[in-house]
């Protein structure tokens, strides 16, 4: 007998990474001086996907020299497929970044992430205790990010699909294994310490998490997630960072979109920022 119950609408999570996932390996030295691992990107309601795709298409039409998928690192460095940005005069370069930031801030998406300060993580002794070997930074960040996204989906009567940017086969399989573990077993964090975050039950995870799929860099939504995750990570240390500031003022951060009393359990998570000022 067919199920006549209406299907729940979908919420889509697009995940990218920024930084070094191994707690015992040196991070990449950066001019901004911060060392993070972050996982996140954007959440978008199913009915808004077409609008986001059209928005990216319209942005690219303004800049005919764009011949490759957007990649925020290369755009900022003016290298590889975006070396042409280095040939623009300052006025045109400013216009490029202004129009791109306006595009990011106008899209009907929610920027979300878990950002871990690696020096703070190491200072707490994580990664060296017995049993910590399984907790690469990406495991902690993934579980926190998925749990918050799933709670948001449930709050809005939706189910959650997950898409992540593909890397090497081993990494892809690891990410999928994190998802399967959450769906089947729920969170493995200490129950007493995590109780204040109102964690989902195994049954709630099983119902809310629908699918996971790897995507390549050419995927429209993944291109936007790539810009969002770097901007949120850097903005977690410096809220004046221009791209972060623009998307924040545009109301695109999940922390500002949920009720204030829910921000601590649904918003962007900054982790091990004991000595730092996060968003």
């Amino acid at each position: 007998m067919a199920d006549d119950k209406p299907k729940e609408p979908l919420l889509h999570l697009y995940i990218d990474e920024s930084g070094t996932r191994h707690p015992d390996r040196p991070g990449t030295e950066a001019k901004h001086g911060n060392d993070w691992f972050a996982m996140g990107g954007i959440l978008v309601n199913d009915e808004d996907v077409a609008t986001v795709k059209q928005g990216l298409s319209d942005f690219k039409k303004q800049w005919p020299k764009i011949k490759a998928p957007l990649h925020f690192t290369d755009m900022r460095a003016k290298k590889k497929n975006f070396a042409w940005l280095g040939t623009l005069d300052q006025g045109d370069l400013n216009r490029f970044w202004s129009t791109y930031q306006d595009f990011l801030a106008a899209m009907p998406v929610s920027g979300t992430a878990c950002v871990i300060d690696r020096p703070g993580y190491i200072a707490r002794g994580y990664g060296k205790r017995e049993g910590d070997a399984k907790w690469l930074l990406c495991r902690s960040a993934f579980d926190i990010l998925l749990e918050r996204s799933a709670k948001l989906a449930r709050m809005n009567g939706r189910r959650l699909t997950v898409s992540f940017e593909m890397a090497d086969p081993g990494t892809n399989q690891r990410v999928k294994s994190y998802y399967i573990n959450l769906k089947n077993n729920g969170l493995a964090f200490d129950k007493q310490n995590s109780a204040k975050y109102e964690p989902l039950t195994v049954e709630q995870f099983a119902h809310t998490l629908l699918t996971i799929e790897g995507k390549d860099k050419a995927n429209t939504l993944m291109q936007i997630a790539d810009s969002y995750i770097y901007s949120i990570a850097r903005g977690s240390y410096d809220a004046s960072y221009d791209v972060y500031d623009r998307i924040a003022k545009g109301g695109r951060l999940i922390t500002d979109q949920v009720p204030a009393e829910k921000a601590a359990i649904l918003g962007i998570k900054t982790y091990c920022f004991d000595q730092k000022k996060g968003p």
Side-chain angles (χ1 to χ4, degrees):
M1 182 176 178
D3 184 2
D4 294 326
K5 182 180 179 180
K7 291 183 178 179
E8 294 158 287
L10 301 179
L11 177 65
H12 305 292
L13 172 63
Y14 285 80
I15 299 174
D16 201 356
E17 298 181 7
S18 179
T20 303
R21 64 171 62 204
H22 296 271
D24 57 347
R25 297 183 187 178
T28 302
E29 291 188 13
K31 292 181 180 179
H32 50 67
N34 299 307
D35 181 9
W36 66 67
F37 176 76
M39 184 175 276
I42 58 171
L43 288 154
V44 55
N45 292 331
D46 188 63
E47 62 270 23
D48 292 326
V49 169
T51 299
V52 177
K53 289 182 177 180
Q54 186 60 52
L56 181 58
S57 177
D58 292 343
F59 168 75
K60 288 184 175 180
K61 287 176 183 177
Q62 298 179 63
W63 300 94
K65 288 187 178 181
I66 298 177
K67 304 296 184 183
L70 300 183
H71 189 241
F72 200 57
T73 299
D74 294 343
M75 291 161 66
R76 289 185 300 109
K78 307 183 190 71
K79 66 181 183 180
K80 297 182 180 179
N81 291 315
F82 292 89
W84 59 270
L85 287 172
T87 68
L88 299 180
D89 63 38
Q90 193 60 49
D92 283 340
L93 185 62
N94 290 344
R95 186 167 62 87
F96 173 85
W97 282 109
S98 177
T99 56
Y100 188 57
Q101 291 175 30
D102 287 347
F103 155 70
L104 291 176
M107 289 298 94
V109 303
S110 304
T112 188
C114 176
V115 185
I116 303 173
D117 181 64
R118 294 178 72 250
Y121 185 92
I122 295 168
R124 286 191 183 187
Y126 294 157
K128 295 184 177 180
R129 303 170 306 178
E130 184 178 353
D132 272 0
K134 65 180 180 180
W135 288 99
L136 289 174
L137 297 180
C138 57
R139 168 77 186 277
S140 298
F142 184 89
D143 282 13
I144 291 170
L145 177 67
L146 261 286
E147 202 262 350
R148 292 183 174 217
S149 299
K151 278 193 289 200
L152 180 71
R154 293 181 62 81
M155 187 175 79
N156 293 314
R158 295 175 180 268
R159 297 182 75 185
L160 186 72
T161 75
V162 181
S163 298
F164 66 95
E165 184 173 307
M166 291 186 294
D168 59 274
T171 299
N172 296 342
Q173 187 54 46
R174 185 182 298 119
V175 172
K176 289 181 178 179
S177 73
Y178 296 160
Y179 173 90
I180 292 169
N181 183 65
L182 272 181
K183 190 172 177 68
N184 293 339
N185 303 308
L187 291 170
F189 294 126
D190 181 271
K191 294 187 186 312
Q192 184 174 348
N193 291 340
S194 62
K196 61 184 178 181
Y197 296 110
E198 302 175 21
L200 297 181
T201 66
V202 173
E203 293 76 19
Q204 289 170 329
F205 271 119
H207 175 77
T208 308
L209 299 180
L210 192 60
T211 60
I212 187 169
E213 184 177 1
K215 305 283 188 181
D216 62 27
K217 293 181 183 295
N219 179 273
T220 300
L221 282 296
M222 204 58 71
Q223 292 178 59
I224 300 170
D226 170 74
S227 292
Y228 262 76
I229 185 55
Y230 177 89
S231 301
I232 293 173
R234 186 160 173 183
S236 296
Y237 296 86
D238 177 12
S240 68
Y241 175 60
D242 57 355
V243 186
Y244 175 86
D245 179 67
R246 183 68 187 89
I247 61 178
K249 288 178 177 175
R252 296 299 99 207
L253 302 180
I254 187 61
T255 307
D256 300 323
Q257 294 177 353
V258 299
E261 66 273 15
K262 295 290 185 181
I265 64 171
L266 296 175
I268 293 166
K269 172 67 174 177
T270 52
Y271 189 26
C272 298
F273 275 64
D274 304 89
Q275 305 302 318
K276 297 178 175 64
K277 186 177 180 181

